[in-house]
Amino acid sequence: MKLTEKEVEIIEILEKDARIPIETLAKMVSLSVDETEAILKKLEETKVIVQYTTLVDWRKVDGHEGVTAMIDVKVTPKRGVGFDEVAERIYHFPEVKSVYLMSGAYDLSVVIEGRSMSEVAKFVSEKLSTLDSVISTTTHFILKKYKHDGTVFDQGDQDHRIVMAP
C-alpha cells in the first residue's frame, strides 16, 4: 500500500507516542483535526496501524517479574505451506508473544513469557518440541532488558546492574 508523506509522518509520530492528543498530532503534521482523524481511521481500517500498545517494565511491579525467553526453532517446512503452518500452530499458544521467520542456522525465533524458568522449560518440552515439524530448539533466557522497541529501560538504575567477574 502506497502511503502519502503525511500518513507516514503520522505513523512515525505514533510509533514514538501512541497517546499523543489528536489536536497535537494534527498541529505537528500541519493538518486539521478532521483530516488527521480521517487518516487515522484509514490506517486502522487497512491494518497499517494494527494496534496501540503499552510498554511496561514488569520488574517494577511486585509479583509480576516473570521470565522472558527467546527460543531458536529448527523445523521441517511442509510442502505447499512452507513454514507458515508450523508458525501458526506456535503463535496460537498463549505463552507466545512473538514468532519470526529467520535466516541463518534456525528457522523460527519464538519469544515467550512465563512466571518462572521451569514454566518456560515445561512449555518447550511439552508443547513446542513435541510439534511434528520441530526438529530442535535452543532456549535463551533474557537476563535484563536494556532497550525494547526503541525505549531505553532504567538508564540510571543502579539496583539491577549485572556485573561479570573478570
Side-chain angles (χ1 to χ4, degrees), residues 1-5 7-8 11 38-50:
M1 164 182 239
K2 182 82 171 135
L3 298 180
T4 67
E5 202 172 299
E7 290 168 337
V8 172
I11 292 168
I39 289 173
L40 284 175
K41 184 176 181 192
K42 172 191 166 192
L43 294 170
E44 291 166 356
E45 287 174 353
T46 58
K47 298 292 186 195
V48 171
I49 295 177
V50 178

Side-chain angles (χ1 to χ4, degrees), residues 67 112 114-126 141:
V67 174
I112 75 161
R115 289 187 297 271
S116 65
M117 286 182 150
S118 61
E119 186 177 276
V120 170
K122 184 176 180 179
F123 169 81
V124 173
S125 65
E126 294 180 8
F141 288 98

Side-chain angles (χ1 to χ4, degrees), residues 13-28:
I13 292 167
L14 290 174
E15 272 190 317
K16 292 180 180 78
D17 182 6
R19 292 190 56 180
I20 191 166
I22 191 78
E23 298 81 9
T24 306
L25 180 60
K27 285 179 187 172
M28 290 174 76

Side-chain angles (χ1 to χ4, degrees), residues 18-161:
R19 292 190 56 180
I20 191 166
I22 191 78
E23 298 81 9
T24 306
L25 180 60
K27 285 179 187 172
M28 290 174 76
V29 296
S30 303
L31 293 173
S32 70
V33 170
D34 289 341
E35 290 171 313
T36 305
E37 286 175 338
I39 289 173
L40 284 175
K41 184 176 181 192
K42 172 191 166 192
L43 294 170
E44 291 166 356
E45 287 174 353
T46 58
K47 298 292 186 195
V48 171
I49 295 177
V50 178
Q51 165 179 331
Y52 299 93
T53 62
T54 302
L55 183 58
V56 178
D57 188 350
W58 286 107
R59 292 175 307 134
K60 294 182 178 182
V61 180
D62 291 341
H64 286 84
E65 293 82 10
V67 174
T68 303
M70 299 177 82
I71 307 166
D72 298 328
V73 184
K74 187 170 269 202
V75 301
T76 302
K78 297 233 173 156
R79 186 177 302 271
V81 292
F83 297 100
D84 295 346
E85 184 180 287
V86 69
E88 183 177 350
R89 290 182 69 195
I90 292 169
Y91 70 61
H92 277 102
F93 289 117
E95 301 91 339
V96 174
K97 299 303 173 199
S98 305
V99 178
Y100 304 97
L101 179 61
M102 306 297 289
S103 63
Y106 288 88
D107 303 307
L108 299 173
S109 180
V110 179
V111 178
I112 75 161
E113 292 178 359
R115 289 187 297 271
S116 65
M117 286 182 150
S118 61
E119 186 177 276
V120 170
K122 184 176 180 179
F123 169 81
V124 173
S125 65
E126 294 180 8
K127 293 181 180 179
L128 186 60
S129 64
T130 60
L131 294 175
D132 290 339
S133 298
V134 173
I135 298 168
S136 67
T137 64
T138 302
T139 303
H140 310 274
F141 288 98
I142 294 177
L143 302 177
K144 181 177 180 181
K145 189 182 299 188
Y146 292 99
K147 186 174 183 178
H148 182 83
D149 286 344
T151 300
V152 175
F153 281 65
D154 292 333
Q155 232 171 343
D157 187 3
Q158 302 296 316
D159 296 336
H160 295 90
R161 287 213 173 153

